[in-house]
Amino acid sequence: MGTLEERIVKSETHIFKAVFPSTTNHYDTLFGGTALHLMDEVAFICATRFSRKKVVTISTGQIDFKKAIPAGTLIELVAKVLSVGRTSCKIHVDIFMEQMYSELRETVVSGTFSFVAVDENKKPVPILDDLV
């Protein structure tokens, strides 16, 4: 399985999306709820890849929307393990926005999500077997 640090590095997760009009609000920018949905999804994938256990979202930390994301741009969501507890882990997620036809790339949304590992009865279990 590797060391904790190796598992953290290997579990980093990237998802790319194009921002289409079907995901935007009346201002023609990415709907905030859609951004949160995508962030929770990439954080879940990262937590699952890290632990290889069933995990559920238990909380979100502060989510900072630094800049609106207009239709017609590309976004990359990057999730990384920030910290690990006995049954839980905290994942940091950044959304980077890129212009389709230029090199401009900037961080536009950041936040944290916490997950707990659960068994078949939805009871918390150690997130990593070797951290018991």
Side-chain angles (χ1 to χ4, degrees), residues 16-19 69-70 72-76 96-100:
F16 289 87
K17 296 278 188 181
V19 179
I69 304 170
T73 56
L74 303 173
I75 57 172
E76 178 185 13
F96 297 91
M97 178 179 65
E98 296 182 15
Q99 300 300 322
M100 281 197 190

Side-chain angles (χ1 to χ4, degrees), residues 68-118:
I69 304 170
T73 56
L74 303 173
I75 57 172
E76 178 185 13
L77 297 100
V78 179
K80 301 176 184 179
V81 176
L82 195 57
S83 62
V84 181
R86 192 178 82 73
T87 62
S88 64
C89 64
K90 185 178 285 188
I91 309 295
H92 179 82
V93 178
D94 286 314
I95 298 180
F96 297 91
M97 178 179 65
E98 296 182 15
Q99 300 300 322
M100 281 197 190
Y101 308 110
S102 79
E103 296 294 320
L104 180 63
R105 175 184 166 90
E106 57 189 315
T107 308
V108 292
V109 184
S110 297
T112 57
F113 294 77
S114 295
F115 293 83
V116 68
V118 295

